[in-house]
Amino acid sequence: MAPAVPRICCLDLDTFFVSVERLLDPSLEGKAVVVGASKGQRGVVTAASYEVRRFGVRSGMPMADAVRRAPDAIFLPTRHNTYSPYAKRVREVLERFCPEVRTASIDEFFLDFRGCERLYRRFGDADGDATIERVVHEMRRAIKRETGLPASAGIGASRPVAKIASGLAKPAGVVLVPVGREREVLGPLPVRKYPGIGPVMEERLLRAGLETLSQLVELPAGELRARFGGVAQRVRAGLEPNARVQLGRDRPAFLEHDQPQGGAVGSISNERTFHADVGDIQRVLDQLRTLTERVCWRARQRGVRARTVTLKLRFSNFHTVTRSMTDRPSHVEAQVLRRVRELFQRAQVLALPVRLVGVQLSNLVPDAPQLELPLGPDQPAPVGDALDAVRDRFGYDAIRLGVAGSKTRWLATPSEAVVAAG
DNA sequence: TCTGGGGTCCTAGGACCC
DNA sequence: TCTGGGGTCCTAGGACCC
């Protein structure tokens, strides 16, 4: 038996949005750059260059905070559509190195190198730690060469171990955690470093005097579970070099049945924070209509209908409520909007101005031909099909239903009018 | 200028069925 | 009449990730 080799790799693009902005504008190189909400808008930092992190700027931080900490930094608005083609090209490079690639987010990928022995031979004579490390180094260089983007990588026996290792590897490095030495290498880290332990759990653990992962996993399993629940128990599993972990199965994610069939996703949602809190119910309803239109369009694009519709409201005091309803599958605006309005009636628990509204579709089922009267009032009108066709070609915002604006009101049904917005 | 937007997963209680 | 389990679905909230 060859010695166990860690074969799960987490590849993470370093300060991804900032790196892309630098490719497009090389004068940003070496400067303090913050990507996030536009100036004057409500929002947070989505990416911060290493130069600006020195001032304490972090992603997720309110924009106003970032401006206060680093007033001289360069602030850029987030341009999602600009970044995703780069992520796609990175994935293409990864696929040349490994047949099993999972996209975890726009800037993070997991690779499973099990069953890649032939590839190993190309890079070294032994099937050992040094060989897979060389493969991953070469992969990083290929990404840099072909896309210009810096990346870091972690290698471990399981997904969480690889993930933590990639964090240790930043910037632009590779860290391998040998099988069987997880506790030794990762144990001294603060509990917050473990994926799944966030601010709330960290606080609970610190209050109990547990600061490091070692201290956490030394607790008896029963006590761990009873006091801190499933997350803490998963940490123990992640740091135990047993067979389950070596297979990367500590969570049922990743390998065989990871990706939902047909590329379907579990839910589709859109939400919007108002520039300033809104007390006018009609304006809230208008926004709900816009959001409903958008999620229904995305559902049709994906070829799914939703059984569950969820409305989300956040009030001016940040209190958030959700109301949901499960019914026959739909992706038809008129139907979904009717449900959203009903949920809205139920959700106005606070007489406070509204900060955010959201609409979510879940419980998605594959789009099958409807077994209903084809000309029922809830069916997409032919004009709806035409709308979708325009959007397929020119993008969602090429055309809008009704007129979005304070001076006009929404028309009652989609078939009444189509108004091009620009 | 406090606190985005897209997701996933977990928990817990109640309804309902067997 | 009393006393139960499981299992599944639905709903609401919340932690967490990038």
Side-chain angles (χ1 to χ4, degrees):
Chain A
M1 254 309 252
V5 177
R7 290 191 183 154
I8 306 296
C9 172
C10 172
L11 187 124
D12 201 302
L13 299 167
D14 299 335
T15 63
F16 176 49
F17 295 177
V18 172
S19 298
V20 175
E21 294 290 352
R22 281 176 171 163
L23 289 177
L24 298 172
D25 177 2
S27 77
L28 297 172
E29 205 62 52
K31 296 192 181 150
V33 179
V34 178
V35 177
S38 305
K39 265 225 163 99
Q41 299 279 51
R42 283 173 155 175
V44 299
V45 174
T46 46
S49 74
Y50 284 102
E51 292 81 359
V52 82
R53 290 185 194 187
R54 279 206 290 274
F55 300 101
V57 176
R58 297 281 181 275
S59 63
M61 169 183 282
M63 221 38 189
D65 265 20
V67 173
R68 210 173 310 124
R69 285 167 187 268
D72 298 328
I74 298 167
F75 291 86
L76 301 172
T78 310
R79 303 187 284 170
H80 243 86
N81 295 341
T82 303
Y83 311 133
S84 37
Y86 286 88
K88 196 172 286 178
R89 283 170 55 203
V90 169
R91 185 177 164 120
E92 284 162 13
V93 175
L94 298 180
E95 280 168 350
R96 290 210 315 267
F97 284 83
C98 180
E100 286 286 346
V101 179
R102 291 285 185 270
T103 301
S105 74
I106 193 164
D107 64 353
E108 189 179 277
F109 306 85
F110 284 91
L111 296 85
D112 179 4
F113 279 101
R114 290 180 302 156
C116 294
E117 284 73 16
R118 270 198 326 190
L119 180 68
Y120 291 154
R121 270 205 295 280
R122 232 178 71 212
F123 282 84
D125 14 323
D127 179 14
D129 289 1
T131 305
I132 185 164
E133 222 174 327
R134 270 201 294 279
V135 174
V136 172
H137 267 297
E138 175 53 27
M139 195 167 72
R140 260 197 61 246
R141 282 192 291 269
I143 292 168
K144 179 71 180 173
R145 199 164 54 233
E146 295 175 39
T147 70
L149 295 168
S152 301
I155 307 162
S158 70
R159 206 166 142 146
V161 170
K163 166 80 180 141
I164 300 171
S166 83
L168 298 176
K170 281 180 179 300
V174 175
V175 166
L176 180 146
V177 179
V179 173
R181 293 179 55 196
E182 288 82 1
R183 281 179 73 157
E184 175 191 337
V185 177
L186 306 178
L189 296 176
V191 288
R192 182 70 165 82
K193 292 287 180 194
Y194 201 91
I197 295 184
V200 175
M201 182 56 77
E202 179 191 27
E203 181 58 33
R204 278 177 61 191
L205 294 169
L206 290 183
R207 267 206 311 271
L210 302 170
E211 292 175 17
T212 67
L213 292 171
S214 290
Q215 291 171 335
L216 182 58
V217 299
E218 274 157 19
L219 286 186
E223 190 186 344
L224 204 59
R225 166 91 209 181
R227 288 179 65 189
F228 303 109
V231 179
Q233 217 176 24
R234 254 175 272 138
V235 175
R236 161 186 289 271
L239 295 189
E240 291 296 337
N242 57 31
R244 236 163 47 97
V245 172
Q246 285 178 33
L247 290 175
R249 292 287 238 349
D250 52 317
R251 302 202 46 145
F254 202 16
L255 311 179
E256 298 73 22
H257 39 72
D258 184 22
Q259 225 86 328
Q261 292 87 347
V265 286
S267 68
I268 298 172
S269 68
N270 279 105
E271 58 188 55
R272 180 67 61 208
T273 296
F274 290 111
H275 181 54
D277 299 345
V278 170
D280 176 7
I281 285 183
Q282 190 54 48
R283 272 196 63 204
V284 175
L285 286 171
D286 284 351
Q287 185 62 58
L288 283 174
R289 178 167 204 145
T290 302
L291 293 168
T292 300
E293 198 188 319
R294 189 175 291 256
V295 291
C296 286
W297 177 73
R298 291 174 60 199
R300 290 195 297 273
Q301 287 260 300
R302 284 169 158 76
V304 293
R305 291 173 191 253
R307 294 195 54 229
T308 303
V309 177
T310 303
L311 165 77
K312 177 169 163 183
L313 289 183
R314 176 169 292 152
F315 297 96
S316 54
N317 63 356
F318 225 72
H319 180 70
T320 307
V321 299
T322 61
R323 292 293 179 272
S324 67
M325 183 192 294
T326 299
D327 202 337
R328 302 213 327 268
S330 178
H331 59 197
V332 177
E333 273 136 24
Q335 272 175 354
V336 175
L337 188 59
R338 201 177 309 135
R339 295 174 195 175
V340 168
R341 285 190 202 279
E342 197 180 319
L343 293 169
F344 183 68
Q345 297 302 322
R346 283 203 255 142
Q348 288 178 274
V349 292
L350 294 178
L352 284 173
V354 176
R355 178 189 180 90
L356 166 149
V357 287
V359 176
Q360 182 196 53
L361 302 180
S362 59
N363 239 318
L364 304 176
V365 298
D367 197 2
Q370 288 282 81
L371 302 173
E372 299 171 32
L373 286 178
L375 296 178
D378 289 333
Q379 298 310 302
V383 67
D385 297 342
L387 249 186
D388 281 2
V390 170
R391 285 174 169 161
D392 286 346
R393 286 186 61 190
F394 302 112
Y396 181 84
D397 291 321
I399 200 163
R400 302 284 303 275
L401 279 181
V403 180
S406 52
K407 295 210 178 75
T408 46
R409 62 184 184 79
W410 290 98
L411 296 157
T413 71
S415 56
E416 283 185 32
V418 176
V419 179

